[in-house]
Amino acid sequence: MQITITLNGTKISPEIEPDTLLIDLVRSQGCYSVKRGCETANCGLCTVFLDEKPVLSCSVLAARADGHSVTTLEGLQEEAKEFGAFIADQGAEQCGFCNPGFIMNALALFREKEFPEEDEIREYLAGNLCRCSGYEGQLRGILAFLDWKREKQKEAAE
C-alpha cells in the first residue's frame, strides 16, 4: 500500500506493507535518531512527533500516519542543539543511545509547559530508559537549561 506523510517537512509517498511500524518507516528514510529499544512502548527511545504530539513509533502502524506530519530529531536540529548542550555538560550522555528519545520528550515537555517544575519534569520523563546515568545528570541538565532560558528572557526584557 502507498501512504503519503510529511517527514521532517518533506512530503514522501513510500510503498509499505500493512504491518509496517512507523519506526521502521522513518528509519528506512534515514532517520536513525529513532532507536529500537524495548519494542513494547516502555523505553521512549523511539519517540517521534506525530502532528506535533510525542508518540512511541514502535507501537504505531505507519499506515496510521498517512496524511499526517511526522517529525524526528533530524527535523528539530536547531531546537535540540541548544538543549542538548546542557545535557552533555552534566555528563548525562554517557553512551548516548537514549539521547534522541530523551531530547524529543524534553522538547515535547517544553512545548507543553515552558518552565516546568522539577516534579513535573520527573513525571513527564519517567518513560525514558537510560541504563548509564541514573537520570540525575539529565535532570540537572534540564534544570540548568531552564535557568539559562529564564536568564536569557530576563536579559531580553531589559
Side-chain angles (χ1 to χ4, degrees), residues 42-79:
N42 285 309
C43 71
L45 297 174
C46 66
T47 301
V48 300
F49 290 164
L50 180 61
D51 292 336
E52 301 301 318
K53 300 287 184 200
V55 298
L56 299 170
S57 63
C58 75
S59 64
V60 175
L61 290 172
R64 295 266 182 194
D66 188 26
H68 296 276
S69 172
V70 177
T71 308
T72 68
L73 191 58
E74 286 85 356
L76 297 170
Q77 288 300 297
E78 288 304 311
E79 192 174 350

Side-chain angles (χ1 to χ4, degrees), residues 29-119:
Q29 300 297 312
C31 299
Y32 299 118
S33 71
V34 183
K35 304 285 198 256
R36 185 177 302 284
C38 67
E39 297 189 70
T40 59
N42 285 309
C43 71
L45 297 174
C46 66
T47 301
V48 300
F49 290 164
L50 180 61
D51 292 336
E52 301 301 318
K53 300 287 184 200
V55 298
L56 299 170
S57 63
C58 75
S59 64
V60 175
L61 290 172
R64 295 266 182 194
D66 188 26
H68 296 276
S69 172
V70 177
T71 308
T72 68
L73 191 58
E74 286 85 356
L76 297 170
Q77 288 300 297
E78 288 304 311
E79 192 174 350
K81 184 178 180 181
E82 226 174 37
F83 170 65
F86 285 87
I87 299 300
D89 185 55
Q90 294 298 320
E93 59 174 16
Q94 291 178 22
C95 80
F97 193 70
C98 70
N99 277 3
F102 181 80
I103 290 173
M104 291 294 289
N105 280 298
L107 293 177
L109 171 61
F110 301 149
R111 289 175 176 192
E112 189 174 307
K113 186 161 186 182
E114 187 175 15
F115 293 105
E117 300 296 323
E118 186 173 329
D119 59 330

Side-chain angles (χ1 to χ4, degrees), residues 10-11 68 86-87 119 125 139-140 143 147 150-151:
T10 302
K11 190 170 269 193
H68 296 276
F86 285 87
I87 299 300
D119 59 330
L125 301 177
L139 179 60
R140 285 191 313 269
L143 294 172
D147 287 345
R150 279 186 192 97
E151 188 61 34

